[in-house]
Structure formats: structure tokens, C-alpha cells
Amino acid sequence: MQLVEAFFALIGDLTWGWALIPFLVVIGIFFTVVTGFVQLRFFLRMFRVLSSKNQSGDPNAISAREALLLSVGGRVGGGNIAGVAVAITLGGPGAVFWMWAVALVGMATSLIECSLAQLYKRSTGDGTYRGGPARTIIHGLGADYRWLAVLYALCLMASFAFGFNAFQGNTVAGAAEESLGIGRLWTGIGLTVVTGLIVFGGIHRIAKAADVIVPIMAVGYIGMALVIILLNITEVPGVIYTIVLNAFGLEEVVGGGMGAALAQGLRRGLFSNEAGLGSAPNVAATAEVRHPISQGITQSFSVFIDTMIICTCTALIILLGDVYVPGAEGVDGVVLTQQSLASHLGGWTSYFLTGAVLLFAFSSIIYNYYLGENALSSMTSSTMALHVLRVAVMGVVFLGATAPNATSVFFFSDPLMGVLAVVNLLALMMLFPTAKRILDDFKSQLREGVARPVLNPDNFADLDIDRSAWTGKAPD
């Protein structure tokens, strides 16, 4: 077991511990510059998805809005509550600035990876689609790279469907036990049953669940933060000023100055919004849209919601309160956020935060499961294998919820996520000319006065795309 742990520790060192984070940032900057700051150019267009509905006539089709909410439900989680608190504790307020910066360039990366996933998606025959980095590699790079797609799919299943779902189950049970006094066994049973009911319903039921859960948790949490901001509105400019000064080392708050702020901001920001890791494209490919870039724009908006809105809410809750003491130890993570909320609005907010954590974690569970299901489908169409995966995920969720130390077994999750990022980034770089080509097609139609560009598969006959997936019926 020690040899196995050492092996995965080595993988972690070769990915996250070496140059992966700088690589993610550099690629994000490259995509931003070469595409002419596409995430800013199409920023106002992102908001159209909030009112989009499925107009294709197929009740099983997934709308762009449903795909957005499912991806937001996956991106938003503990990183937005506990992760931001850790970043501020270790890196100072300036870490928030670098989280914003990495989100800005990450929006371009997400647009590219999700647009490619849309381009190479495959129709399942029941009104839904499947796609993601594994299929992008197979159909974009060719059969010679199938081994790379299989590697990606296996790592995706192991890290997200199993490892991270055990962690989320543990998070839900821990929060319920701490704040509500509900035993881990009962939480585990309830969580497992509800998870089973949703995952056995397929992507359509998963998307419908996210369509309900995500708005409730996001609006509730953002609303709470807005109340706190309004109560402390005169202090907000000073907090923003402190964030900027600390970000560039002009006002040192913790040891390490600008270096600590930069390192923590980039790391926590990337972990939170997942841009470049290849997870969100699996969900992006499920939507029925007129043009791949439309869904790329939508998923870029998902990064904005995750970091620029929800992470900022957590940061302001902490920095506008009096619980956070720069350089102090002993209060960090979710406890810092919880105590900061209580200092603003009273002790009852601990129950509210518990509810938010429960919803965040549960939305992540169904998102993580779908990533595993999609990865499996790229390797086999066996119904039996699919049912085994569903039962296994239910078992993992129960194990994570009922055994406080169970998640220590899933030490492989972070290292394997590093492998995912490396494989995904290599594929993105090789397929960037194709991504640029469909982006130019989208821009060209806009210049010609087309309000909602449509992909014409005849213009991309040289690419291995599913022509039946592009009918031009879907809303943007």
C-alpha cells in the first residue's frame, strides 16, 4: 500500500507539483490573446442562455440552460466556501485578485474545450448527446490516439465518479452531523437513495435535478452575501483596495507577500473553476445548440459564475467581517466562512451555510457521477457495465458518508486529476486550429448579420463530426 501511495504521490508531484498550474495559466493567456479576448467580446451574449428553453421538439433534449446549470452545480462546491477561506488564510486578501485573474483567462480555455466537445459530440438516438475530451480525442485526433482517450476516461471515472464522490458524501454527512445532529448512517442511507433515484434516470433526470437545485443554492448564497455587502457598503471600496495592494505585494498581510497571494490564488482558482481540466466539456456536449461556439460561450459563463460571483461572495463575507485576522492560525476553511457569516447576521446562519454545503455537495455528486458515466460510455456501450457503475457510485457515496476516515483511501483523486489536465491540454493544443476555424465561422456569420449562427456540417466535411447532431433547431 505504501508503494501504491508513493506512486500516486509521484504522479501528483509530476503534475500539480511541477508545472501544471503555470501551464494552465499560460495556455489560458494564449487562447485569450489569439482569439482576440473572445471571453470579453461575447460577454453580454452569455446572459442569453439564462432564458433559453428546449425548442427542438424533443422532450429528451438537453437545453443550453440545463447544461449550464449542471456544469455550475459541478464547479460550485467546497472550493467556493472552504477553498476561498483557505486561500485568504494562506495567501492573504490578494489571493482573491489572482483567483479573478485566473478565472478571466480560464473563461477562454473553457470556451475552447467546450466548443470542441460540442463539435465532436455524438447522438445517442434518444434525443440526447454524448461528448467530452475522450470523444474529442478519438474523433478529432484519430484512431491512433484512442489509447490516450482510454487513459483519460479511466482517470476521469476513478477521480470524479469514485474519489471525489466519496469526499462529497463525507462532506454532506459531516455537515449534517455537526449542525443538525443527524447520524452519519442515516445521512448515508438517505443520500444514497436519492443519488440512486437520480442517476438511474440518466442524463435527462440529472439535468432536471440540477435545473432545480443549482438556482436555489446559488440565489440563496448570493442573496445572503448581498445583504452583508449592503450592510457594510461603506467598507467595500477599502476591502477591494486591500485586495489589489496585497496582490502585488504593496501591502504584506501574510508571510510570502505577493508570492503567497499569487500561488494560493492561482491554485485555488483553478481547482474551483476547473477550466482546462476537461471535466465541464463532458456536460457541455449534452446540450442541443445551433453552433458549437454557442455552448462554449455558455460554459465560459459558468466559470464567471463560479469564481467572479460565488467565490467573490465568500471573499467579501470573510473580509468584511471581524473574524479573519491576517496571519492568525486555527480558524480557516469552512469554519472561517461560518464564523464570518455569524458575525454579520447571527448564529442562525450556521444552519443556512450547512444547507448550502449540502446542496453544493449533492449537486457535485450527480455531476461527478455523470462524468463517470460519460467516460464509461466512451469505452463500452454495455448496459450491464453502466448499471455496475451506478451501483458502485451509490456504494462509494455511502462509504464516504458513513466512515469518517474513508476518504483517505481515495488518495489517488488529485494526482489522477493532474493526469486529466495534462491529457486535455495536449489535445486542446493539437486541436486549436480546428477550434479557431469554428470560432471564425461563428464570427463570420455574426458579421453577415446572422443573429444566431448555425453550424453547417457541409462546411466541415473533412472533420469526423456527427452530421445528425447539427440540425439548426435548437435555441442558443
Side-chain angles (χ1 to χ4, degrees):
M1 193 63 187
Q2 290 180 338
L3 288 176
V4 173
E5 291 181 357
F7 172 73
F8 282 101
L10 176 61
I11 293 177
D13 290 339
L14 292 175
T15 54
W16 296 114
W18 185 55
L20 182 54
I21 290 178
F23 193 29
L24 281 162
V25 174
V26 169
I27 285 183
I29 295 173
F30 171 77
F31 288 157
T32 296
V33 174
V34 174
T35 60
F37 290 82
V38 66
Q39 67 272 52
L40 299 181
R41 179 177 300 180
F42 293 139
F43 182 71
L44 294 179
R45 197 178 186 90
M46 297 176 187
F47 291 87
R48 293 185 180 185
V49 73
L50 296 177
S51 60
S52 72
K53 298 292 183 182
N54 174 22
Q55 298 174 356
S56 66
D58 192 328
N60 291 322
I62 306 300
S63 71
R65 178 177 180 271
E66 290 171 335
L68 168 69
L69 292 175
L70 181 55
S71 67
V72 169
R75 295 182 200 268
V76 175
N80 301 78
I81 297 177
V84 174
V86 171
I88 292 174
T89 301
L90 299 180
V96 178
F97 176 89
W98 295 113
M99 291 183 75
W100 293 337
V102 79
L104 180 62
V105 298
M107 288 171 70
T109 303
S110 185
L111 189 149
I112 296 299
E113 64 180 351
C114 292
S115 295
L116 285 170
Q118 265 286 325
L119 179 67
Y120 290 109
K121 70 184 179 183
R122 257 46 191 175
S123 174
T124 61
D126 63 356
T128 61
Y129 303 96
R130 288 191 182 275
R135 285 179 175 80
T136 296
I137 291 170
I138 293 172
H139 300 292
L141 297 179
D144 290 343
Y145 289 89
R146 182 174 291 273
W147 65 272
L148 194 62
V150 171
L151 172 63
Y152 183 91
L154 290 173
C155 290
L156 187 66
M157 276 198 298
S159 58
F160 280 85
F162 296 138
F164 292 143
N165 266 352
F167 171 76
Q168 296 294 350
N170 187 267
T171 299
V172 171
E177 184 177 47
E178 179 69 22
S179 298
L180 306 177
I182 300 175
R184 286 180 172 271
L185 176 62
W186 295 110
T187 300
I189 293 173
L191 187 60
T192 303
V193 170
V194 176
T195 299
L197 290 174
I198 293 177
V199 302
F200 272 93
I203 181 57
H204 187 62
R205 189 177 296 173
I206 290 172
K208 294 301 181 186
D211 202 20
V212 174
I213 295 172
V214 175
I216 291 175
M217 71 179 188
V219 171
Y221 191 68
I222 294 170
M224 182 74 72
L226 287 176
V227 170
I228 292 172
I229 291 171
L230 291 174
L231 291 174
N232 300 273
I233 192 66
T234 57
E235 299 177 31
V236 172
V239 168
I240 301 298
Y241 186 64
T242 298
I243 288 174
V244 175
L245 287 181
N246 181 237
F248 293 96
L250 301 177
E251 180 181 290
E252 188 166 322
V253 174
V254 298
M258 179 180 173
L262 179 63
Q264 288 299 318
L266 295 182
R267 187 177 185 86
R268 298 296 170 181
L270 288 168
F271 267 72
S272 177
N273 63 53
E274 299 181 11
L277 302 187
S279 50
N282 293 274
V283 172
T286 64
E288 184 165 6
V289 294
R290 288 189 172 94
H291 198 286
I293 297 298
S294 295
Q295 183 60 198
I297 293 170
T298 296
Q299 293 301 323
S300 182
F301 187 41
S302 177
V303 174
F304 180 84
I305 293 172
D306 173 89
T307 305
M308 304 302 289
I309 296 180
I310 298 182
C311 284
T312 299
C313 284
T314 300
L316 291 177
I317 288 171
I318 293 171
L319 297 175
L320 288 172
D322 54 11
V323 176
Y324 169 66
V325 178
E329 299 180 357
V331 180
D332 60 9
V334 71
V335 176
L336 176 56
T337 307
Q338 188 176 45
Q339 291 187 8
S340 296
L341 263 176
S343 72
H344 289 293
L345 302 175
W348 67 271
T349 55
S350 64
Y351 297 104
F352 172 85
L353 190 62
T354 297
V357 169
L358 293 176
L359 288 176
F360 285 170
F362 184 67
S363 66
S364 293
I365 286 174
I366 59 178
Y367 169 83
N368 292 341
Y369 160 74
Y370 180 71
L371 298 188
E373 178 186 305
N374 196 46
L376 179 65
S377 71
S378 69
M379 296 184 291
T380 177
S381 59
S382 169
T383 302
M384 178 60 71
L386 177 59
H387 289 326
V388 169
L389 173 66
R390 288 170 172 170
V391 172
V393 168
M394 292 170 63
V396 164
V397 169
F398 180 78
L399 175 64
T402 55
N405 297 319
T407 52
S408 64
V409 177
F410 300 97
F411 52 85
F412 51 79
S413 296
D414 281 346
L416 290 184
M417 188 166 68
V419 176
L420 291 178
V422 170
V423 172
N424 185 56
L425 291 174
L426 289 174
L428 289 182
M429 292 303 295
M430 287 188 282
L431 289 171
F432 180 70
T434 301
K436 186 67 166 55
R437 184 177 164 190
I438 59 172
L439 178 59
D440 290 341
D441 175 70
F442 188 84
K443 292 178 180 178
S444 175
Q445 292 187 48
L446 289 179
R447 286 194 298 268
E448 293 171 1
V450 179
R452 294 180 175 179
V454 178
L455 181 80
N456 183 353
D458 292 337
N459 295 335
F460 300 90
D462 57 311
L463 302 181
D464 182 14
I465 61 177
D466 183 355
R467 298 175 67 88
S468 67
W470 300 104
T471 62
K473 297 179 181 178
D476 291 341

